[in-house]
Each structure stands twice: as C-alpha cells, then as structure tokens.
Amino acid sequence: MAEPKQESLDKMWKYAKGFAEKSGTTMHPTPTVTEAVVKGLAMHMDELGKPLCPCNFYKDKQAEAKLRRWMCACDKMQIYKYCHCLLFVREDGMPITEYLPEGSEGREVYGIVTDPTPDKGRALKHKAQPSAEPVASEGLAKRQLL
C-alpha cells in the first residue's frame, strides 16, 4: 500500500486537531487508532482530493465522494456527534452515542455514552432523527420539572 504524501498527512492532522477542538471532542487516546484514521484520510486526499472516511468499504469511491455523506467529518458526526472511526471521541476513548437514534449501531455496541461538551459540535443537529430514550440526567431533570 502506498504512503500518503506528507502534505496530505500534515493537512489531515491539522484538520483533525482543529475539528476535535471545534466539536468538543478529543482524538482517540490510543495513538495507533488516531494515526491509522488520519493516514487513511490523507490517502483519500491523495486519491480523491477529498477526505473520504477510511473506515468504510465503497464500491465506487468517486461516486461516494460526490455524495459527501462520508466526507470527514461525516454526516453522523455532524448530526449526532458520533464518529464510528473513533477518531473524535471523549477523553476516555468512548464515542458519544447519546444523540443517536434508538436501535442505531453505535448505541447497540456502546450503550448510551454522554456528551461532556453538549454546547459544542453537531452543526447539522437539525437533521437528527428524534431519540425515544432520554439520557438519565435529562430524564431526571424532566421529572424534577413535573
């Protein structure tokens, strides 16, 4: 497998650090996880000119890049603050799942993982499917109001 250009790697590292800050997340605490995802993004920058998520299989990468839904930061990250690649996570390395719809893959695998910075990220939250199950702290707050 070819290595990405240093310019693409540098660009993707800068992007990942900036997006983590902007979204109120951190990059995965295990360096090899972060490095693998950033390298995959850089390779797609070289191949496609766009940071297509490296954690999916695509029959047609060019067509998928045009759809933009798996462009980093992908729709799931922009809507639900959930990164299936585990690039953007909480400090403990867990992906944020509290905004995902009930029955989604992330909730099934990790359960409800709360967002420590709910005031940051989720630029496309208006596109979210409503979640039927409130987070425990939200449920408690709602009960206290009743």
Side-chain angles (χ1 to χ4, degrees), residues 46-67:
D46 290 346
E47 180 183 350
L48 306 165
K50 298 185 188 286
L52 189 65
C53 175
C55 300
N56 286 323
F57 172 78
Y58 308 101
K59 287 183 181 181
D60 183 343
K61 288 182 187 179
Q62 293 287 348
E64 198 63 49
K66 289 178 185 173
L67 292 174

Side-chain angles (χ1 to χ4, degrees), residues 51-116:
L52 189 65
C53 175
C55 300
N56 286 323
F57 172 78
Y58 308 101
K59 287 183 181 181
D60 183 343
K61 288 182 187 179
Q62 293 287 348
E64 198 63 49
K66 289 178 185 173
L67 292 174
R68 303 198 52 80
R69 65 182 167 205
W70 289 109
M71 205 69 60
C72 190
C74 70
D75 286 358
K76 281 191 177 181
M77 186 64 192
Q78 297 283 344
I79 297 169
Y80 302 110
K81 204 170 178 177
Y82 173 73
C83 180
H84 71 282
C85 293
L86 301 178
L87 178 58
F88 303 113
V89 295
R90 298 186 329 174
E91 284 187 13
D92 62 3
M94 293 295 290
I96 296 164
T97 64
E98 82 170 272
Y99 307 113
L100 288 170
E102 190 174 323
S104 66
E105 160 220 328
R107 275 197 169 189
E108 295 293 318
V109 173
Y110 300 104
I112 297 175
V113 181
T114 58
D115 181 1

